Amino acid sequence: MDDKKTVLTRRDFLKGASCAALAATMGLPFTALAEDESPKLSRVVLIRDEKALTSAGKPNAPVIKEMIDSAVSRLFEVDKPSEAWKKIVGPKDIVGIKSNVWGPLPTPSEVEQAI
């Protein structure tokens, strides 16, 4: 029989503690999903219009506005776009629009104006 004492060094302690902490955080999402009885469903609305771009390839502002209004109306299942927008933004809310200025795919100003 071997009567050697096992020595726990500071390095061993830190390694074990960090592994335990990592394992605990990795298990949190699985625990959270297990507690939720019903999965959250996403709703997707697809709006297409051949007239969204002019023959010159420029955005067609009135058509884009109608497409966005149609999308929010369908998303919130209401008849009027104004009803849908009221569900998103209140009269006292301050809204900021984050535009994409990335060269190959910038947000057209017509989309910003429609919003």
Side-chain angles (χ1 to χ4, degrees):
M1 225 161 144
D2 199 1
D3 287 336
K4 291 183 183 178
K5 290 186 179 181
T6 304
V7 177
L8 181 65
T9 64
R10 187 176 0 178
R11 180 175 290 165
D12 292 334
F13 175 76
L14 290 174
K15 189 187 328 182
S18 62
C19 287
L22 182 62
T25 58
M26 298 280 283
L28 287 178
F30 298 116
T31 305
L33 287 176
E35 293 173 7
D36 188 17
E37 293 179 13
S38 62
K40 306 246 187 257
L41 300 177
S42 297
R43 185 170 165 84
V44 177
V45 176
L46 177 63
I47 303 294
R48 294 182 177 172
D49 194 321
E50 294 176 352
K51 297 176 227 151
L53 297 177
T54 64
S55 58
K58 301 289 181 186
N60 188 345
V63 174
I64 289 175
K65 181 179 181 341
E66 186 174 321
M67 290 172 69
I68 291 174
D69 284 343
S70 176
V72 295
S73 296
R74 287 187 189 177
L75 181 65
F76 288 99
E77 298 175 331
V78 295
D79 294 329
K80 296 179 183 178
S82 59
E83 294 174 30
W85 286 110
K86 286 178 185 176
K87 290 185 177 194
I88 299 171
V89 182
K92 294 184 178 181
D93 291 339
I94 297 173
V95 178
I97 299 173
K98 191 324 192 164
S99 295
N100 189 2
V101 293
W102 180 52
L105 191 61
T107 303
S109 62
E110 290 82 0
V111 172
E112 292 174 348
Q113 293 304 313
I115 294 171

